[in-house]
Amino acid sequence: MTDPHDSSACHSSRCSIGRCRSCRRSLDPDLPDQLQLLFQLQGQAIDFLTEQRYTEAAALFEFYLKQTPGDVLARNNLGFCLMPPRPEMALHHLESIRLDTSDNPTITLINVSTALALLGRHGEALERAEYHWQRGPTEPQPGGAYLWRLKDDAIELIHAPDLRLSLAHLAHGLAQHLDLTDRVRRWRERAEALGATAT
């Protein structure tokens, strides 16, 4: 979910989970009603997620998807909200999104890989990260997003300022979990090349 405090992509279809302050506070009256509703739901979802009210956050997008069942952004957001309580259902929703139709395939891939790891499928999550890394954008992807960070056997909501770096950190952790020394080194080097140290 993109950062509601980042103003870099105001009022666009790429604004995931209320990317910008103005999307959360005052919506452009020229936007279609459905898009305005989605932006309002995104802002409320972030509030619910920070309070660990995952079911309520997910219900917002379930409601929206009843009206617009093909909305890829809403489907991604539903999967994201379901990740802590029901990673298998989150994965179901996330995998229904084709990465080539996603507004932000890196966010979708990070979400899918996180859900796979929560389900104990670390190797598959790592392979998907590697595949995307090889074929995805090669430059940093600033813009800010809320992501789930794997921490032991749980996850926590964090703000991540760069998606490509977040993918490198996720894959580094997966490789560590799998005790794959060469891949740990490779992902650490990739993170360092983007200007950060993998943890």
Side-chain angles (χ1 to χ4, degrees), residues 42-165:
Q42 290 174 158
Q44 184 61 54
I46 287 294
D47 293 340
F48 283 153
L49 292 173
T50 58
E51 297 168 3
Q52 299 181 351
R53 295 169 60 190
Y54 311 121
T55 303
E56 291 96 325
L60 296 172
F61 298 108
E62 288 171 343
F63 164 76
Y64 186 85
L65 284 164
K66 285 180 182 175
Q67 298 176 42
T68 55
D71 191 293
V72 173
L73 181 57
R75 179 81 48 203
N76 178 76
N77 293 344
L78 174 58
F80 185 85
C81 294
L82 288 170
M83 195 103 50
R86 299 186 61 203
E88 69 288 339
M89 185 57 69
L91 184 62
H92 167 76
H93 287 289
L94 294 166
E95 288 197 315
S96 72
I97 301 168
R98 287 187 37 213
L99 291 182
D100 61 348
T101 64
S102 174
D103 278 345
N104 194 318
T106 304
I107 286 179
T108 302
L109 183 277
I110 290 170
N111 290 340
V112 167
S113 293
T114 301
L116 286 168
L118 287 171
L119 294 168
R121 295 161 60 183
H122 297 84
E124 185 179 348
L126 183 59
E127 291 308 316
R128 290 198 189 195
E130 181 68 43
Y131 182 86
H132 181 76
W133 187 274
Q134 297 296 330
R135 288 150 187 82
T138 57
E139 68 281 347
Q141 290 182 275
Y146 283 99
L147 300 172
W148 295 114
R149 177 172 59 190
L150 296 169
K151 190 171 183 180
D152 301 319
D153 291 330
I155 56 175
E156 63 181 347
L157 188 65
I158 62 161
H159 173 266
D162 184 294
L163 297 175
R164 188 113 168 119
L165 182 58

